Amino acid sequence: MKTGSPERQLALPDRRRDPRRSWLRACLSSRLLAPACVLVVAAATYALFQFVILSRVPHAVLGKWLVREGGDMHGAILEFRRDGTMIATVNMQGKAAKIVAQVEVEDETMRTTSRHPITGKEHTDVQTIRKLTDEEFVFEDSKGTVIRMERLRE
């Protein structure tokens, strides 16, 4: 039987009319494929840098923490963000106040740099991380005060 015979042509599927193949061919030949590939690669690169490479704070530290023990900090809520920002909500003379600081963590050392709300003077403090788990974060500040925190779940 020849490939050109009518019997053979009936047995073979007509690939030219298969809608899946025509869609694939249209995508491959369209001008949208190259920009779509560039967009996917750009998004993946951005995510890699934002979540892995440029994060100043380890993943285990990220999130909100409630201070259970720690002198003047008792009851404060500390929120650590991936960009190195720490927002502390503290009780100052009976009123809630927010303190914004920049945080950098390297091994067991944590540095916080904040600006005094009245004088505008920057102050950097160095803390030593004593314990860090999914549920508990304990560090000691430069004055020797131990601060124990537990993770807040939202």
Side-chain angles (χ1 to χ4, degrees), residues 2-134:
K2 294 182 181 178
T3 55
S5 69
E7 298 87 19
R8 181 71 175 157
Q9 288 177 353
L10 292 176
L12 293 175
D14 188 6
R15 292 187 176 166
R16 289 173 290 174
R17 296 178 190 231
D18 187 2
R20 291 174 293 177
R21 288 187 60 91
S22 62
W23 178 84
L24 180 62
R25 185 171 288 133
C27 285
L28 290 176
S29 65
S30 75
R31 295 182 179 173
L32 296 177
L33 184 62
C37 289
V38 169
L39 185 63
V40 168
V41 170
T45 303
Y46 175 80
L48 176 70
F49 273 90
Q50 281 295 323
F51 296 108
V52 179
I53 296 173
L54 296 180
S55 183
R56 294 182 180 178
V57 181
H59 185 73
V61 175
L62 298 177
K64 291 186 179 182
W65 297 87
L66 174 65
V67 178
R68 287 291 181 194
E69 298 175 24
D72 296 342
M73 295 288 293
H74 181 75
I77 296 174
L78 276 63
E79 178 182 0
F80 294 90
R81 296 182 178 173
R82 133 179 98 246
D83 66 353
T85 303
M86 179 192 74
I87 300 173
T89 306
V90 297
N91 183 358
M92 287 188 158
Q93 301 171 350
K95 294 181 181 177
K98 288 195 185 261
I99 299 171
V100 179
Q102 290 300 311
V103 178
E104 289 185 16
V105 178
E106 186 176 319
D107 298 325
E108 295 178 357
T109 303
M110 180 169 68
R111 288 180 189 81
T112 57
T113 303
S114 60
R115 189 175 297 274
H116 192 278
I118 297 171
T119 65
K121 185 178 177 183
E122 276 192 357
H123 173 71
T124 300
D125 196 14
V126 178
Q127 297 91 10
T128 303
I129 298 173
R130 297 289 180 212
K131 183 177 182 181
L132 178 59
T133 65
D134 286 342

